[in-house]
Amino acid sequence: MKKINYKRYLIALACCGMLNGCSKDFLNRPPEDAIVDVNFYKTTEQVLAGTAPLYNVVWFAYNDKSSHGIGDARGGILMSGSYQVANIRMQTTDVTPEVYSSWTSFFNVVAQSNMVINNLTKYTASSVPENAKQAGIAEGRFMRAVAYSYLVQNWGPVPVIVDNNVLLTDTTITRNTVESIWEFIIRDLRFASEYLPASPAQKGRITKWSAKGMLAKMFLTRAGISGNRVQADLDSAAKYALDVIQNSGAKLMTNYEDLFLTKNNNNTESLFALQWKYDGDWGTQNSVQAFLAFGSEITGFGDGWGGDLGASLDMLRSYSVLDKRRKATFMFPGDHYSYIHQSVDDPNNPGKKIIRELQVPWNFVGTEQYNTRAWVKKYVVGRPEDNDGKVTQQHTEINTYMLRLADVYLVYAEAKLGAAPSTVDPLALQYFNAVRARAGLGAKTLLTEDDIFNERRLELAMEGQVWYDAVRMHYYAPAKVLTMLSTQDRGSYRIVPNAATNATSWTITSDIPASYPVTESNFYLPYPAVEMAAAPNLRKPPVPYKF
């Protein structure tokens, strides 16, 4: 990595330790004159304050645009004529903004995690209980592992860095092999599963169940990196997933749509979520509503720039008419949302506005009424009055899910299906069908790899996850994934409601079909141009990481 960039990152990350500390709100941070030195880590509360930035600011640049630009657009979930076009069309280059912003965000997570791990190891006072110290180190190792899972899945070989100071002075740092990066991830998460508490130290904090759930997902993905799925890794994935399902106390939310209401942050289904503040410093808020919402009339401010963004036709064709997840994820003309309001013209007072319950608008052409976008709903939470006042321009505090129980249910089902499926494990079918039942869909009696992949797509659309499911399959079935992505219709369409108000059904027709070729040359992300220019070692062949 570029030395000057890392110096800047470390300075910025040190600043994450400033401001007010040790209150009940764990997003508050330790004071400037007590950061990372022998005088700071004297209490459990100070340890918690020191790890707090790992839950928001270091992830901000990825969450802001790259999570849906990479995690959803490249996975075929989105279409647009103006926003995220390079990613939607699989024409991502080394100067596409999301490439650099996600790369820097993930390495910010790594750098801050390293800082936490090293400083807690060196400077924690004897007055701090050993379990609190180890839990803080485990938080750092968990976050570092998750960041590396994104790095290796997007770029393949990348440098494994555990000491920020070495990076600033060592010009021999080079990339490490994919196999050794996955081993590094697994080791960090094993440590986290051993030393994190069973219950959150504060609301929103990760637990050993967060680590075990993430271990299940990482073992499932690692299983295929050799080109054939390794049964031992699949068994480990199933073991950890089942432990979480049966012993964590986590439960599926009854209503899928309720998962994406701010008032339900840190609910019973959430295992790991980024924690945001609508009124914090820049970078501590969730900004995605600004880019996803179709207009300012539903945000209450000058943002809401998502009018040209919507579900791909391929995605819309995946939904059954009974699937409740569609309305919770994408808006159709005539859809009603009782918990979001909009500003509209007052029919009785020209030039005046009134606030009413959201009914998704539509366009008119002659006597026809239709929309050309199924606008994004998920993570669009509405106006201040819809969220107890906790919305300002480009600022909400809706959690970003990084792992939830439904994901673990589907991980278990996929792991049990295995490398050579023949019979369906009854528990795998039970948990798979539990996800479908909540969505309003009937149970399946047989299960295939495609069933699970498609169910994950429907369940996790617009949560930045679908691309990584494609990467997991690409490890062991590359030709299948390249064909699937290349044949997705990401072109334009029309959605025609059956009524001018209170629509109950819609007809979706293709307007101009569009698909984009995907080959091995454009499947993975290119390394950022600025890093390639400054760090020629990134061009060297990767080497195994020395543990």
Side-chain angles (χ1 to χ4, degrees):
M1 261 62 60
K2 190 176 180 183
K3 289 185 188 178
I4 188 170
N5 284 345
Y6 243 90
K7 289 177 182 176
R8 184 174 72 246
Y9 300 160
L10 294 179
I11 291 169
L13 289 167
C15 292
C16 292
M18 300 177 185
L19 304 180
N20 301 319
C22 308
S23 75
K24 291 182 179 179
D25 183 350
F26 82 85
L27 294 176
N28 288 332
R29 292 156 288 178
E32 183 175 5
D33 60 355
I35 184 67
V36 297
D37 68 10
V38 71
N39 297 312
F40 182 62
Y41 295 117
K42 290 186 174 181
T43 67
T44 298
E45 289 73 21
Q46 287 174 328
V47 171
L48 291 169
T51 58
L54 297 176
Y55 289 84
N56 54 26
V57 65
V58 291
W59 292 97
F60 178 79
Y62 179 64
N63 186 73
D64 183 54
K65 300 183 189 71
S66 300
S67 62
H68 53 265
I70 295 172
D72 294 294
R74 285 176 63 82
I77 301 300
L78 294 174
M79 62 85 70
S80 175
S82 60
Y83 181 65
Q84 297 290 348
V85 169
N87 294 310
I88 289 169
R89 297 179 181 177
M90 297 300 288
Q91 295 165 358
T92 313
T93 72
D94 58 2
V95 294
T96 299
E98 291 74 36
V99 170
Y100 186 64
S101 61
S102 56
W103 173 276
T104 55
S105 181
F106 298 142
F107 274 111
N108 276 341
V109 177
V110 170
Q112 177 74 359
S113 298
N114 287 341
M115 189 184 299
V116 164
I117 294 163
N118 294 333
N119 287 329
L120 284 174
T121 300
K122 293 177 182 177
Y123 300 130
T124 304
S126 58
S127 54
V128 176
E130 183 64 17
N131 64 334
K133 171 185 173 179
Q134 293 300 325
I137 293 171
E139 282 182 291
R141 293 189 68 169
F142 176 95
M143 297 292 184
R144 185 171 68 183
V146 175
Y148 268 113
S149 75
Y150 283 110
L151 284 162
V152 73
Q153 290 177 94
N154 281 312
W155 286 278
V158 294
V160 173
I161 297 157
V162 297
D163 186 336
N164 300 335
N165 293 318
V166 168
L167 179 65
L168 294 176
T169 58
D170 189 349
T171 59
T172 66
I173 292 293
T174 189
R175 297 181 299 161
N176 296 111
T177 60
V178 167
E179 294 79 7
S180 61
I181 295 169
W182 278 110
E183 178 62 23
F184 182 85
I185 291 166
I186 296 294
R187 291 188 186 201
D188 264 358
L189 289 174
R190 283 189 187 277
F191 181 94
S193 71
E194 183 176 352
Y195 289 102
L196 284 169
S199 300
Q202 292 173 333
K203 193 171 185 178
R205 293 273 180 169
I206 54 174
T207 67
K208 74 174 184 178
W209 304 112
S210 313
K212 288 185 175 186
M214 199 62 75
L215 264 171
K217 198 167 183 178
M218 297 302 103
F219 271 117
L220 182 66
T221 302
R222 189 179 78 162
I225 64 173
S226 67
N228 295 295
R229 304 189 94 176
V230 174
Q231 190 61 48
D233 278 351
L234 293 172
D235 291 344
S236 293
K239 180 189 75 171
Y240 281 110
L242 190 61
D243 194 7
V244 172
I245 292 167
Q246 295 185 336
N247 300 314
S248 68
K251 297 179 180 179
L252 294 184
M253 292 282 283
T254 302
N255 181 21
Y256 183 83
E257 199 166 345
D258 287 348
L259 283 162
F260 304 97
L261 303 181
T262 305
K263 67 180 181 180
N264 292 328
N265 280 349
N266 302 311
N267 55 66
T268 60
E269 187 168 333
S270 181
L271 290 166
F272 168 37
L274 302 181
Q275 310 286 311
W276 305 106
K277 291 176 66 68
Y278 87 99
D279 59 350
D281 299 332
W282 183 262
T284 65
Q285 86 281 18
N286 194 337
S287 59
V288 299
Q289 172 167 270
F291 305 102
L292 302 182
F294 71 77
S296 60
E297 61 266 37
I298 61 170
T299 69
F301 297 95
D303 53 6
W305 306 310
D308 191 36
L309 185 68
S312 70
L313 182 56
D314 186 80
M315 185 67 210
L316 294 182
R317 286 171 172 165
S318 300
Y319 286 108
S320 159
V321 294
L322 300 175
D323 198 327
K324 298 176 182 178
R325 294 171 295 195
R326 195 281 301 162
K327 182 172 178 281
T329 310
F330 297 106
M331 298 178 178
F332 280 6
D335 273 337
H336 280 260
Y337 296 89
S338 62
Y339 51 87
I340 296 179
H341 291 76
Q342 64 186 140
S343 173
V344 298
D345 294 330
D346 185 344
N348 300 315
N349 295 285
K352 300 287 187 179
K353 296 284 187 180
I354 59 172
I355 303 298
R356 72 176 189 192
E357 177 185 305
L358 173 60
Q359 178 176 259
V360 179
W362 50 86
N363 299 311
F364 289 88
V365 178
T367 59
E368 283 191 276
Q369 57 185 37
Y370 62 87
N371 275 6
T372 58
R373 299 288 186 272
W375 290 313
V376 177
K377 162 59 187 70
K378 195 175 283 188
Y379 290 120
V380 172
V381 298
R383 303 165 62 87
E385 56 265 37
D386 301 322
N387 296 273
D388 296 324
K390 296 180 178 180
V391 171
T392 58
Q393 182 158 327
Q394 299 185 64
H395 291 66
T396 78
E397 56 181 52
I398 182 77
N399 283 173
T400 298
Y401 291 110
M402 304 292 273
L403 183 71
R404 53 186 179 86
L405 186 62
D407 190 348
V408 178
Y409 275 17
L410 296 174
V411 165
Y412 179 77
E414 186 174 341
K416 294 301 290 185
L417 194 66
S422 55
T423 59
V424 179
D425 179 88
L427 273 181
L429 202 57
Q430 174 186 328
Y431 295 128
F432 178 86
N433 283 327
V435 174
R436 287 179 59 81
R438 178 174 64 180
L441 303 178
K444 286 184 175 286
T445 56
L446 298 175
L447 208 52
T448 68
E449 179 182 73
D450 288 344
D451 288 332
I452 296 171
F453 184 89
N454 293 331
E455 200 66 39
R456 289 184 61 83
R457 194 169 184 242
L458 293 164
E459 180 71 19
L460 300 170
M462 294 310 301
E463 295 181 51
Q465 296 296 319
V466 173
W467 172 248
Y468 302 101
D469 290 340
V471 172
R472 177 165 62 252
M473 186 181 289
H474 179 266
Y475 278 143
Y476 63 89
K480 178 179 180 178
V481 172
L482 297 179
T483 299
M484 175 189 68
L485 294 174
S486 296
T487 55
Q488 290 174 340
D489 192 339
R490 307 185 187 195
S492 59
Y493 53 83
R494 297 184 182 192
I495 308 175
V496 181
N498 69 335
T501 59
N502 301 314
T504 56
S505 65
W506 297 263
T507 301
I508 304 172
T509 57
S510 175
D511 193 2
I512 303 175
S515 57
Y516 303 96
V518 184
T519 66
E520 291 297 341
S521 65
N522 68 339
F523 182 79
Y524 287 104
L525 295 183
Y527 296 99
V530 64
E531 296 289 5
M532 293 298 289
N537 283 349
L538 289 176
R539 293 183 172 86
K540 292 182 179 180
V543 298
Y545 178 74
K546 294 181 179 179
F547 291 96

